[in-house]
Amino acid sequence: MRLLLVEDDEALRDVLARGLREAGYVVDAVPDGDEATSYLGVYEYGLCIVDWRLPRRSGLELLEWARRTGLGMPFLMLTARDAPADRVKALDSGADDYLVKPFDYGELLARVRALLRRPIGERAPLLRCGSLEIDPASREVRVGGKPIDLAPRELAILELLVRRAPNVVVRRSIALHAWPEEADAVGSNTIEVHIARLRGKISGSDATIETIRGSGYKMVPP
């Protein structure tokens, strides 16, 4: 799962980004609302964590722009503004959750997991393809009810393939979803290596990963 973190405090941004990455998420971390707008126009995110007070474009302005544009991913607002009127304004503008600084990092992670469990549009909380099941919030993968162990990037790739099944997912989309820098994956055989490992780990499933030569991959349901 790829997350966007928008925080102008460099020290806090670095700490949060590092912690989220250690929790298994791919994280883009930017310092202001204008740069965040550029990232939202390129990448597909499962969640945006945004500070209210930002240079150039505030977190609230970013949120309002995203909703006007039709972006439906959850937004978690971080802010020192704790007045009830501020909470109401943020939630009415489209925020899905609101966390007041200073906050406990464990609570932040719990809120991230809770937001990722919520349905967005037609997306179900649990993703299924045949006997393969993914819980995006707990990051658990099961085949026939039995848990299997996946590395964070393997999970990111598998989740993308299942969400878009039975459509083909091109290599660049996989790279954008699972790697901080797409060139690290597109210009090498890294994606192929991860796909090969995934096929081995889900071999007990009745769903399979099919290679579409010259294009990418797709998840084939039973």
Side-chain angles (χ1 to χ4, degrees):
M1 180 66 68
R2 194 180 194 105
L3 310 182
L4 178 62
L5 171 65
V6 193
E7 169 60 62
D8 63 327
D9 183 320
E10 183 177 1
L12 178 59
R13 184 173 68 248
D14 290 346
V15 168
L16 292 179
R18 182 169 62 251
L20 290 165
R21 288 171 183 140
E22 289 174 354
Y25 300 103
V26 175
V27 181
D28 292 326
V30 299
D32 62 71
D34 278 357
E35 191 168 349
T37 301
S38 299
Y39 273 73
L40 287 168
V42 174
Y43 299 102
E44 181 179 329
Y45 293 102
L47 173 69
C48 181
I49 304 170
V50 58
D51 187 15
W52 185 316
R53 293 177 176 172
L54 294 170
R56 303 169 70 182
R57 176 182 288 194
S58 73
L60 191 67
E61 291 171 332
L62 175 67
L63 170 60
E64 291 171 340
W65 169 85
R67 295 314 188 215
R68 286 196 308 270
T69 308
L71 297 177
M73 81 283 291
F75 270 72
L76 171 58
M77 182 76 75
L78 303 181
T79 180
R81 304 173 65 153
D82 60 355
D86 292 326
R87 295 173 184 266
V88 170
K89 186 173 183 179
L91 294 170
D92 282 348
S93 296
D96 296 271
D97 202 355
Y98 191 101
L99 188 58
V100 176
K101 298 177 180 179
F103 53 82
D104 178 78
Y105 177 68
E107 182 181 359
L108 173 68
L109 276 182
R111 288 173 182 262
V112 167
R113 292 192 296 268
L115 288 171
L116 293 175
R117 277 197 298 269
R118 294 182 183 178
I120 302 175
E122 297 300 317
R123 188 176 72 185
L126 290 179
L127 304 175
R128 293 186 177 89
C129 187
S131 61
L132 179 66
E133 183 179 272
I134 303 172
D135 185 331
S138 66
R139 307 184 67 75
E140 294 178 349
V141 179
R142 292 176 287 273
V143 171
K146 297 181 180 179
I148 61 172
D149 185 31
L150 298 183
R153 285 205 176 100
E154 293 170 348
L155 175 57
I157 294 170
L158 184 63
E159 180 181 346
L160 180 64
L161 291 173
V162 171
R163 285 192 186 279
R164 297 192 181 176
N167 298 319
V168 177
V169 182
V170 299
R171 286 169 46 85
R172 183 173 183 271
S173 292
I174 294 173
L176 287 172
H177 188 74
W179 277 266
E181 299 294 336
E182 63 177 289
D184 293 345
V186 172
S188 67
N189 69 338
T190 302
I191 292 176
E192 287 77 6
V193 170
H194 280 75
I195 291 290
R197 290 174 182 165
L198 264 178
R199 283 176 170 146
K201 291 184 178 183
I202 68 168
S203 59
S205 168
D206 52 7
T208 58
I209 301 173
E210 181 179 330
T211 301
I212 308 301
R213 191 172 300 277
S215 180
Y217 303 90
K218 70 176 181 178
M219 180 66 67
V220 180

